[in-house]
Amino acid sequence: LSAAGIPWSVLRNYSSASAKEKARRNAICERTELLEVLKARAKQLQASNVPEVTVNKVELAPLGNDKYQDPLRKVVAPGAAEEQPAPRGRDESPARPSSWVEKLKKEMYIRQLKVERKLSIAASQLAREGQAKAKPKAKAKPKAKAKPKAKAKPKAKAKAKAKAKPKAKAKAKAKAKKSQKSLKSPEAPKAPKAKVAAAWSQSHAGPHGLYACRKPRVAAVKEGAKAQWPRRVLEHKDSSQYKILQQTIQSSLECFLFLQQPEEAERFLLLYHSSPVKRRLLSVNAYNIVMRSWARKGCLQRINQLFSMLESVGLRPSLDSYAAALECMGRNQSSTKAVWRCVQQLKNDGFHVDELFQKCLFEEDEKEKVLRAIRIVQPNYQLPPPPKPQTCKSSLLQDFYSKEKMVPYPKLDFTVQELQERFQQQLEMELDNTVTIESVESTKPLTPQAIKARKLLATLRSQWHDSILQALQKSKCSMSKLKTVSGYNILYPYLCLMPDEEYVGIMLQILNTLSPQGESLAVLARELGSKIYNRYITQRKLRSRQLEKVQEVYEEYIHLLAKDSQPDKYLPREYWEKLVAEAGFGPSLNLKDCSWPYMLLMRLGMHMLELLVQAVKVPRNVLNPHLEPRFIPVLYHVYSFHSSWQVGLIKPHPIFSQIVSDAAETLLTFNSSAIPMLCPPVPWTSPNFGAFVLNDTKLMRFVDGAVQHQLLLEQCPPVNLHPVLDALNQLGNCAWKINQPVLDIIISIFNDKGNEKLDIPPPISEAPRPPAAPSNSSTCNKSQKHELLLCKKKTAEMHSLRMDALYKLSIANYVRDKVFWFPHNMDFRGRTYPCPPYFNHLGNDVTRAILLFAEGKPLGPKGLDWLKIHLINLTGLKKKNALQERLEYANEIMEEILDSADHPLTGRKWWMNTDEPWQALACCMEIAKASRSPDPAAYISHFPVHQDGSCNGLQHYAALGRDLIGAMSVNLMPCSVPQDVYSAVAQQVEEFRKKDAEQGVKIAQVLQGFVSRKVVKQTVMTVVYGVTRYGGRLQMEKRLKEIDEFPEEYLWEASHYLVKQVFNGIKEMFSATRDIQNWLTESAKLIAQSGRTVEWVTPLGLPIVQPYYRSRSTVLNCSMQNLSVKTSNGNQKPDTVKQKNAFPPNFIHSLDSTHMMLTALHCLRQGLTFVSVHDCYWTHALTVDVMNQICRQQFVALHSEKILQDLSEFMLEKYCSPGRETRALWQKKLMEQLSNVPKTGKFNLKKVMDSTYFFS
């Protein structure tokens, strides 16, 4: 989603004019009708080659009652676009002077009245002619809903004739008649298609940003997308726009099913079915949903009608169609003959009765009813046995999955009873959807001012609650009236899914969390839409009784994990699948796909946001009694700029921010999915099921609106995903607890003005004060303005950092006495992440320091040494020294370590001067406790010890290329001290510099003494992840800026010189790495140029697709502003540059995630606790050695596979398959490129097994 709005050039007329209007009227959020008329006219003049009458007919309808209309641009533009080669120019007219503005307003009103009269006459004549096909036109009259569509096509045709000034009424009539014909004529079905497409505001916003527009009051969906676009959409059934339209229709039908309104569902279906053009958007699924809603009511006759409708449009019934028919018969106890006929037809269509139970998803008692129907004709019919579980065949995991080597799953330190109680707590939390917790600031004493502000806020909130409720009900009322007139309002069913109170609650929650700096419209709309969707899913799970089933299965599943039950040789996924198969009856655990298209979420969110902005007002004199007591809006819609993009923001009024700040409320409300789980997560068993009990979680995170990943995962054979699912389950099953002493110290500093050095953000009260403005404002010079701007920026940054820390610490404090779990999912490359977003072990130093494993293990003989080495690693002091030297150093400074542990804030504070101060302090405390215990080896430690990969990306490259020099510099070779690749590159660069300096290169001489490890580190690290010379230069510049002595005037030249030398240095040291990187880049470039996206499969079987397309913004037209929403669509052309540049780093990321997952699975087999932060692996001090061994074994095993060979073969098959006799030139080129796999060097991979510093 682009939070960016619409380019400034396109929107100039919006905001410049509206700013004048604001200034004139002093009403910041309310735009006036005149302004909209003005905009419409401006658009009309820009598209001057469109006949005026046509234009005016279109724009006329909304004028009467619509404040925010922007009626023209959408309909004029297609007509204009057809003739103009460079459509951009239309939108980029210069701003015009205000006298022009005044003239225009007058002219518009007069013209408006004239045209209104002409049109009403023309329309009434048409109504009299009353042909069946004229229905949409007649229907739309009262709300002007269909007028734009009727015009979309004729405009192009009328153009030739109407270039003169068509003023006579006769012409207007003729044109209106013609539009009727063109609606009917087979050769021009564009207009109705336009109607379909734009109804969902999927208007084609390609290079010339066309807009469809929605009326705010009744929120009627206006149509009028580019005339040719819908035809393309309807012809390309694979296009993702087409899929989105289909999905929107289906999700609306699902709403009616949920609301138990089969009549409405059928009526909605008929709107599409009855139009030859629009019915192409209906898939069998759409008809099936309506059948299911009738089946619940037992109306067999209606289902039979739907079957004949299917037949009439040439669609074949699917299994789901028969399931619905049989369910209905089961409810009615239909006659044997009827059931027999249905079963016969099912078989004639090539299905088998067993497939109903193997492939269909059921809700509530549907499964039982289908079975009952079948037993009417086959009394002894039994459910088919569940399919045999398949075993993953990956060569990397033969041992892991072999039944002979299976070991019982490790137990948690909880009884069945305790786990059941925890499950109930988690369930209650998710059913509530939100959790309200005490903030860590709540310990501060209450001031009289705060008490007063809280009272005021409570009063205002109750008023706002009522006014939002009223606004919502009013908007629903006008929508429900609308549907009788002109088809349907798309949003109406979505506003009926829950009690009105719930919608109001969601809106108030957004209001309460809005920052004083405001938030972009797009972000707020997405959040509102998602919250409603999540509540709906929760309700569906309850309604379909899916939750009951999950509860039953979970209560059995606990036995695998509880310490007081029999050990079982199953993995969590296998055990869950076994229990589900045994449960047999009841609803399916996966809901039928009911996800809402992204554009629909955004549209719904925008509607809620508009209601919120309209309804929430505050008395102007609430803080200052001397002002007049009129009501002003609490929220304002303003524009800001992000580079050349204009972004709409919603900002709270300073009065509201002041009250909230004074009230200093100490309660925070989070979505239940933001809190760690209080029971072990539900194991992942498929791409759609796992993690939370109720909250909908996707297995793979992706950019908003992208559907490719999910489709790829669903097409993938389930057995191929087992390793990935099992690894995620393993990470999610690690239990955690809070390190309370460290948390208390952090909270005390947080509440005492924070400490930037220790990464604890200070409160806003510590923000730099802006300079005092001179009494005469005109003397405010440039530097003062700049300073003021910097102060504002700093304050905004401080606010966001402070809130982030407040959230993390408050959640940690909330679970301080609990054991909790982090369910995991992954990104499209397979890298894993905890689902709760704020507080987790991927966080910064502060959050990691307050986490401990809930399970304790004795330190064992070497555990204390590992704790000491870990501490020295955290300080960053002895990176180049051997482990033994680090250990000796720790023993030397034991006094400092114990002092830090005993007197963290009052002692010598050694821990504060380390790289990771808080983790260092936590480690000091652990070492102190262990070393003081009677037998350190028996001391039970919960402390995670980390082992970090040494420049992990380069390690994978060096192993892929068997690159000897590269392998040595990233510690794949055994060595007595750790090799430091960054220092090695710095050394190499220094040699280049010396040579150049001797030859008199000025910049090389300037850089003498400045080339250090620190300067080159970031660039070296990111080279493997695809950093370009441009990005590298910026990194270098930043590092050089940090050196006070470096002459500033040479920054640009020096960074330019250095980045060139770093790239040369890496080329020399890692020759094979550069070859592989170039091969990957070149292959991706050719694939993308052929119009395909780059896909591959990881060695563990996870399918991956790069989601980079030439993003096309779809403009969502809302009354408040048009919102440009970037959607990532599979049918758009790939973004060649991104596909090419991102492939090497993404491929390496997919390998590092594979290595991590292999390590996780094999650690599980050895009974280790294991979690990871990408290439940093955590376990107990006792098991560090075992983990190190597994980690090396798995790296060797992974790279012993023919990774590049397999990649080449996969891609040759995918992109160059010998289907065609004559290969295109690009295919030959690509085949040549892919077949030419880089040669590998002489490095012996087995050496990694003995390398101490590979991970250390």
Side-chain angles (χ1 to χ4, degrees):
L1 156 80
S2 96
I6 296 161
W8 172 225
S9 57
V10 179
L11 273 195
R12 189 188 293 133
N13 52 352
Y14 260 63
S15 75
S16 60
S18 60
K20 287 175 199 159
E21 210 61 40
K22 284 177 200 164
R24 206 179 303 115
R25 296 276 306 275
N26 256 345
I28 296 196
C29 259
E30 314 248 327
R31 293 174 214 175
T32 62
E33 295 173 16
L34 282 179
L35 176 63
E36 295 308 315
V37 172
L38 164 64
K39 287 190 215 158
R41 174 64 175 144
K43 277 289 163 205
Q44 183 186 352
L45 290 178
Q46 286 167 11
S48 54
N49 62 343
V50 178
E52 287 181 349
V53 178
T54 315
V55 169
N56 283 323
K57 280 180 196 165
V58 174
E59 80 192 339
L60 134 121
L63 262 187
N65 65 347
D66 201 338
K67 228 183 248 179
Y68 312 112
Q69 268 303 10
D70 202 352
L72 266 211
R73 58 175 18 122
K74 47 172 202 173
V75 186
V76 173
E82 284 164 35
E83 265 191 283
Q84 293 182 350
R88 262 257 150 95
R90 289 197 322 274
D91 286 331
E92 291 168 0
S93 63
R96 292 176 169 83
S98 55
S99 58
W100 178 84
V101 169
E102 299 307 322
K103 251 162 108 180
L104 262 179
K105 289 178 192 166
K106 240 187 230 164
E107 184 193 335
M108 269 317 270
Y109 267 131
I110 298 164
R111 184 173 295 263
Q112 186 65 34
L113 295 171
K114 280 184 188 171
V115 179
E116 206 153 15
R117 221 171 59 234
K118 287 180 193 172
L119 259 179
S120 60
I121 296 169
S124 60
Q125 263 203 318
L126 282 175
R128 283 202 296 279
E129 287 168 19
Q131 300 165 4
K133 287 271 168 73
K135 246 185 229 167
K137 178 82 179 168
K139 240 187 214 173
K141 211 173 97 187
K143 296 278 177 191
K145 188 172 175 197
K147 272 177 195 165
K149 355 168 193 173
K151 280 295 149 244
K153 173 69 186 168
K155 224 183 313 166
K157 285 199 173 178
K159 221 186 265 175
K161 298 176 189 174
K163 279 236 167 94
K165 287 164 273 179
K167 284 184 183 166
K169 278 182 201 168
K171 270 193 188 173
K173 285 182 213 166
K175 222 170 278 162
K177 280 182 189 164
K178 183 174 283 181
S179 88
Q180 282 303 304
K181 278 182 199 152
S182 75
L183 269 174
K184 286 190 281 186
S185 66
E187 76 274 11
K190 288 179 184 173
K193 290 176 193 164
K195 159 178 162 184
V196 179
W200 312 88
S201 181
Q202 282 300 331
S203 47
H204 168 64
H208 17 267
L210 304 171
Y211 303 85
C213 210
R214 184 164 69 65
K215 285 179 75 172
R217 302 275 170 75
V218 290
V221 183
K222 294 261 170 187
E223 298 90 15
K226 193 174 179 187
Q228 308 139 346
W229 175 74
R231 160 169 279 178
R232 226 173 45 233
V233 167
L234 294 180
E235 281 167 5
H236 289 81
K237 294 205 170 188
D238 290 334
S239 86
S240 84
Q241 299 286 32
Y242 182 94
K243 286 190 180 115
I244 287 170
L245 293 184
Q246 273 200 338
Q247 205 185 352
T248 311
I249 293 169
Q250 284 174 31
S251 46
S252 298
L253 289 169
E254 288 275 6
C255 285
F256 293 122
L257 171 64
F258 178 79
L259 294 166
Q260 298 175 337
Q261 297 175 345
E263 297 83 0
E264 295 294 323
E266 188 164 307
R267 208 178 93 175
F268 185 76
L269 183 79
L270 285 170
L271 281 175
Y272 289 85
H273 177 82
S274 54
S275 147
V277 177
K278 289 196 289 185
R279 76 166 62 126
R280 295 184 204 175
L281 283 168
L282 295 178
S283 65
V284 183
N285 290 346
Y287 292 91
N288 288 347
I289 297 167
V290 184
M291 286 187 201
R292 285 173 59 208
S293 34
W294 283 122
R296 297 219 173 139
K297 291 264 196 290
C299 297
L300 192 55
Q301 188 189 349
R302 292 298 183 102
I303 292 178
N304 288 334
Q305 278 173 10
L306 286 158
F307 264 88
S308 31
M309 278 161 70
L310 268 179
E311 207 173 310
S312 72
V313 293
L315 288 174
R316 281 184 57 210
S318 67
L319 263 178
D320 281 329
S321 322
Y322 289 112
L326 287 165
E327 177 204 336
C328 188
M329 292 173 176
R331 284 194 201 286
N332 293 348
Q333 297 283 308
S334 293
S335 68
T336 314
K337 191 175 174 191
V339 180
W340 185 82
R341 257 208 318 269
C342 182
V343 172
Q344 278 312 110
Q345 196 177 333
L346 173 143
K347 289 177 179 167
N348 295 343
D349 271 341
F351 299 119
H352 191 278
V353 173
D354 282 355
E355 287 180 285
L356 288 167
F357 301 101
Q358 288 161 339
K359 295 183 180 169
C360 293
L361 294 173
F362 296 106
E363 293 185 13
E364 296 178 50
D365 59 349
E366 293 172 354
K367 194 173 191 176
E368 285 78 349
K369 295 292 178 259
V370 174
L371 186 64
R372 180 199 268 182
I374 288 170
R375 285 183 175 160
I376 293 176
V377 288
Q378 301 179 24
N380 301 324
Y381 179 79
Q382 291 301 318
L383 286 181
K388 265 207 163 66
Q390 289 178 288
T391 307
C392 173
K393 295 284 186 288
S394 166
S395 56
L396 291 167
L397 289 167
Q398 273 167 345
D399 279 3
F400 181 79
Y401 284 114
S402 81
K403 285 285 167 251
E404 299 77 60
K405 300 193 180 174
M406 268 293 214
V407 292
Y409 194 75
K411 298 289 186 187
L412 293 169
D413 194 20
F414 294 107
T415 62
V416 170
Q417 178 68 36
E418 288 169 330
L419 285 174
Q420 272 171 359
E421 284 163 14
R422 283 172 161 71
F423 173 71
Q424 283 310 321
Q425 290 171 9
Q426 176 66 25
L427 184 56
E428 278 161 31
M429 182 163 85
E430 290 191 41
L431 279 170
D432 288 342
N433 275 296
T434 57
V435 187
T436 300
I437 66 179
E438 279 283 333
S439 123
V440 290
E441 290 182 319
S442 62
T443 48
K444 293 181 180 173
L446 261 183
T447 60
Q449 183 192 22
I451 295 170
K452 191 177 158 194
R454 284 184 191 185
K455 265 189 189 159
L456 174 60
L457 207 49
T459 315
L460 287 171
R461 278 185 186 141
S462 103
Q463 289 168 8
W464 294 338
H465 174 280
D466 296 344
S467 53
I468 297 172
L469 185 61
Q470 213 176 338
L472 176 69
Q473 286 166 345
K474 193 175 160 193
S475 98
K476 279 172 70 174
C477 178
S478 49
M479 283 184 189
S480 64
K481 283 183 191 143
L482 173 84
K483 67 180 185 190
T484 55
V485 193
S486 54
Y488 246 94
N489 181 285
I490 262 332
L491 292 183
Y492 184 63
Y494 297 91
L495 295 176
C496 302
L497 295 171
M498 299 175 291
D500 292 348
E501 290 284 343
E502 291 223 19
Y503 292 96
V504 176
I506 289 174
M507 287 190 262
L508 282 171
Q509 202 185 326
I510 291 286
L511 180 63
N512 291 337
T513 53
L514 193 61
S515 105
Q517 282 79 39
E519 183 58 271
S520 97
L521 244 82
V523 170
L524 290 174
R526 178 180 55 189
E527 206 175 325
L528 276 162
S530 305
K531 279 179 188 289
I532 293 168
Y533 173 72
N534 291 337
R535 298 266 171 117
Y536 161 66
I537 290 297
T538 303
Q539 290 308 312
R540 268 198 58 169
K541 287 182 176 177
L542 285 170
R543 172 83 63 81
S544 69
R545 303 223 317 271
Q546 184 255 15
L547 179 60
E548 280 176 39
K549 178 98 167 251
V550 171
Q551 259 178 297
E552 285 168 31
V553 177
Y554 194 93
E555 283 175 6
E556 289 300 310
Y557 167 70
I558 288 169
H559 291 273
L560 179 70
L561 309 174
K563 62 180 177 186
D564 59 345
S565 59
Q566 285 304 305
D568 270 308
K569 294 189 177 184
Y570 285 102
L571 290 166
R573 173 188 52 78
E574 296 169 338
Y575 196 62
W576 185 276
E577 285 172 345
K578 168 180 173 283
L579 293 171
V580 171
E582 286 167 6
F585 282 109
S588 315
L589 286 184
N590 285 355
L591 288 180
K592 284 183 191 282
D593 177 46
C594 51
S595 50
W596 293 350
Y598 184 58
M599 293 303 285
L600 178 68
L601 278 180
M602 292 298 285
R603 179 177 276 305
L604 185 58
M606 278 301 282
H607 181 68
M608 309 301 278
L609 201 51
E610 283 158 12
L611 291 178
L612 191 61
V613 172
Q614 267 169 33
V616 181
K617 294 199 165 30
V618 63
R620 187 162 167 243
N621 64 345
V622 70
L623 294 180
N624 181 353
H626 305 303
L627 295 171
E628 53 177 313
R630 68 188 170 84
F631 277 89
I632 54 170
V634 168
L635 300 177
Y636 286 84
H637 173 218
V638 295
Y639 287 101
S640 167
F641 286 93
H642 287 199
S643 66
S644 63
W645 285 79
Q646 189 182 16
V647 182
L649 299 178
I650 295 293
K651 263 194 157 171
H653 192 286
I655 290 180
F656 174 64
S657 302
Q658 187 62 54
I659 300 172
V660 171
S661 156
D662 290 347
E665 289 184 304
T666 57
L667 289 178
L668 296 172
T669 301
F670 293 102
N671 280 350
S672 53
S673 55
I675 306 286
M677 285 185 74
L678 306 177
C679 65
V682 173
W684 284 106
T685 52
S686 77
N688 305 308
F689 186 82
F692 291 100
V693 181
L694 264 176
N695 290 323
D696 219 27
T697 316
K698 287 272 181 279
L699 175 66
M700 198 174 261
R701 311 165 163 221
F702 37 77
V703 285
D704 295 306
V707 286
Q708 312 83 295
H709 307 294
Q710 198 62 22
L711 291 172
L712 205 56
L713 288 173
E714 282 163 10
Q715 289 157 9
C716 177
V719 67
N720 291 7
L721 293 177
H722 286 177
V724 172
L725 300 177
D726 291 334
L728 286 169
N729 294 337
Q730 173 55 13
L731 297 170
N733 273 343
C734 172
W736 299 86
K737 67 175 190 176
I738 293 292
N739 187 340
Q740 294 186 9
V742 177
L743 176 63
D744 290 334
I745 296 168
I746 292 172
I747 291 175
S748 70
I749 294 180
F750 181 82
N751 281 334
D752 180 32
K753 298 190 176 174
N755 181 328
E756 291 198 57
K757 182 175 171 264
L758 293 176
D759 207 12
I760 295 179
I764 293 287
S765 55
E766 300 299 299
R769 290 270 166 266
S775 51
N776 180 357
S777 59
S778 60
T779 60
C780 188
N781 62 23
K782 202 172 177 183
S783 72
Q784 281 171 320
K785 278 183 183 166
H786 183 64
E787 204 173 327
L788 187 68
L789 206 68
L790 286 179
C791 278
K792 276 189 172 174
K793 191 178 171 209
K794 177 74 176 159
T795 308
E797 276 171 15
M798 282 175 68
H799 179 268
S800 100
L801 289 171
R802 178 78 178 176
M803 293 314 286
D804 180 56
L806 178 70
Y807 288 174
K808 285 175 177 166
L809 294 177
S810 300
I811 293 172
N813 200 41
Y814 173 68
V815 292
R816 66 181 297 139
D817 302 311
K818 300 178 168 77
V819 170
F820 50 89
W821 286 261
F822 296 123
H824 279 61
N825 63 1
M826 57 189 170
D827 65 13
F828 73 90
R829 304 162 304 189
R831 279 197 142 185
T832 59
Y833 300 85
C835 299
Y838 304 111
F839 173 64
N840 58 54
H841 60 287
L842 254 71
N844 58 1
D845 174 44
V846 176
T847 33
R848 291 184 188 190
I850 48 189
L851 281 167
L852 294 171
F853 292 136
E855 184 188 3
K857 289 192 177 172
L859 282 177
K862 286 178 71 180
L864 185 54
D865 289 352
W866 272 118
L867 280 176
K868 290 174 181 173
I869 292 169
H870 176 54
L871 172 64
I872 302 307
N873 288 349
L874 289 167
T875 64
L877 294 172
K878 300 280 172 186
K879 286 181 179 165
K880 296 180 183 175
N881 299 50
L883 290 185
Q884 192 52 40
E885 288 168 26
R886 296 181 207 181
L887 180 58
E888 284 160 12
Y889 177 67
N891 288 327
E892 280 167 31
I893 58 164
M894 203 60 191
E895 206 177 308
E896 296 289 357
I897 294 172
L898 296 176
D899 174 71
S900 292
D902 298 339
H903 313 289
L905 299 179
T906 53
R908 296 195 291 274
K909 305 179 188 171
W910 168 84
W911 63 277
M912 287 189 186
N913 299 310
T914 58
D915 279 5
E916 310 277 357
W918 290 106
Q919 290 174 82
L921 173 62
C923 199
C924 289
M925 292 176 163
E926 188 73 1
I927 291 169
K929 281 190 252 174
S931 57
R932 288 168 179 164
S933 70
D935 176 8
Y939 171 77
I940 302 293
S941 170
H942 295 260
F943 201 84
V945 174
H946 309 172
Q947 296 286 285
D948 242 330
S950 152
C951 202
N952 192 240
L954 276 173
Q955 289 181 327
H956 283 285
Y957 268 127
L960 280 173
R962 304 289 195 273
D963 186 337
L964 199 58
I965 303 170
M968 283 176 72
S969 54
V970 288
N971 295 303
L972 296 189
M973 290 279 272
C975 219
S976 55
V977 290
Q979 297 302 300
D980 181 32
V981 64
Y982 309 118
S983 302
V985 174
Q987 218 173 325
Q988 186 94 25
V989 171
E990 177 58 16
E991 280 170 26
F992 292 153
R993 188 203 62 76
K994 273 184 189 157
K995 272 185 203 158
D996 288 348
E998 282 161 17
Q999 286 167 11
V1001 176
K1002 178 81 169 79
I1003 194 66
Q1005 293 163 351
V1006 171
L1007 274 164
Q1008 185 170 353
F1010 291 112
V1011 177
S1012 66
R1013 176 185 193 273
K1014 191 175 180 182
V1015 169
V1016 302
K1017 178 177 175 179
Q1018 191 184 5
T1019 310
V1020 175
M1021 194 192 310
T1022 48
V1023 156
V1024 283
Y1025 295 133
V1027 79
T1028 56
R1029 295 201 173 202
Y1030 174 79
R1033 193 199 69 72
L1034 292 175
Q1035 292 170 342
M1036 295 288 187
E1037 188 177 336
K1038 209 170 174 187
R1039 295 291 84 85
L1040 290 171
K1041 258 187 195 162
E1042 289 165 6
I1043 305 171
D1044 296 336
E1045 302 80 58
F1046 191 79
E1048 207 167 301
E1049 64 274 19
Y1050 288 110
L1051 272 177
W1052 196 92
E1053 211 182 330
S1055 54
H1056 199 276
Y1057 173 83
L1058 277 179
V1059 77
K1060 195 169 98 188
Q1061 302 307 356
V1062 167
F1063 273 64
N1064 291 340
I1066 289 176
K1067 207 178 253 172
E1068 282 201 11
M1069 288 174 61
F1070 292 87
S1071 51
T1073 296
R1074 292 309 279 183
D1075 290 347
I1076 293 170
Q1077 209 169 4
N1078 293 339
W1079 180 72
L1080 293 171
T1081 307
E1082 195 54 34
S1083 306
K1085 179 177 141 193
L1086 290 170
I1087 290 168
Q1089 281 173 346
S1090 76
R1092 313 275 294 276
T1093 46
V1094 180
E1095 284 183 36
W1096 69 99
V1097 175
T1098 70
L1100 275 188
L1102 179 69
I1104 293 179
V1105 53
Q1106 292 196 137
Y1108 312 117
Y1109 298 91
R1110 287 188 204 164
S1111 70
R1112 169 183 288 166
S1113 297
T1114 304
V1115 176
L1116 190 63
N1117 309 99
C1118 305
S1119 55
M1120 206 187 291
Q1121 77 163 61
N1122 287 352
L1123 201 60
S1124 167
V1125 180
K1126 283 204 174 107
T1127 46
S1128 165
N1129 287 333
N1131 69 316
Q1132 284 162 10
K1133 285 198 171 137
D1135 180 328
T1136 313
V1137 175
K1138 275 191 182 168
Q1139 289 282 352
K1140 161 178 90 90
N1141 289 341
F1143 181 41
N1146 284 340
F1147 182 68
I1148 294 299
H1149 278 313
S1150 75
L1151 289 183
D1152 73 40
S1153 84
T1154 302
H1155 176 221
M1156 187 280 295
M1157 288 177 177
L1158 286 168
T1159 307
L1161 293 172
H1162 286 87
C1163 281
L1164 160 64
R1165 278 283 171 261
Q1166 304 275 334
L1168 269 66
T1169 300
F1170 173 91
V1171 286
S1172 83
V1173 177
H1174 306 317
D1175 60 350
C1176 174
Y1177 297 173
W1178 299 15
T1179 190
H1180 288 91
L1182 169 72
T1183 51
V1184 174
D1185 290 310
V1186 187
M1187 182 183 77
N1188 272 331
Q1189 193 191 3
I1190 293 172
C1191 154
R1192 286 157 179 74
Q1193 281 168 352
Q1194 294 316 310
F1195 186 84
V1196 172
L1198 171 63
H1199 283 283
S1200 301
E1201 298 281 299
K1202 305 192 303 293
I1203 295 178
L1204 293 178
Q1205 219 65 46
D1206 292 345
L1207 177 69
S1208 160
E1209 283 164 25
F1210 172 83
M1211 288 184 156
L1212 280 168
E1213 189 181 333
K1214 179 154 189 71
Y1215 302 107
C1216 311
S1217 52
R1220 295 179 206 150
E1221 291 309 304
T1222 52
R1223 282 219 165 87
L1225 183 65
W1226 67 263
Q1227 267 193 320
K1228 286 181 186 150
K1229 229 171 150 185
L1230 180 58
M1231 277 187 71
E1232 203 175 306
Q1233 167 65 23
L1234 289 173
S1235 311
N1236 191 12
V1237 180
K1239 302 275 182 292
T1240 54
K1242 300 276 188 296
F1243 172 61
N1244 175 7
L1245 204 53
K1246 297 271 190 298
K1247 297 267 191 210
V1248 174
M1249 291 303 302
D1250 305 317
S1251 169
T1252 310
Y1253 301 102
F1254 165 62
F1255 264 62
S1256 68

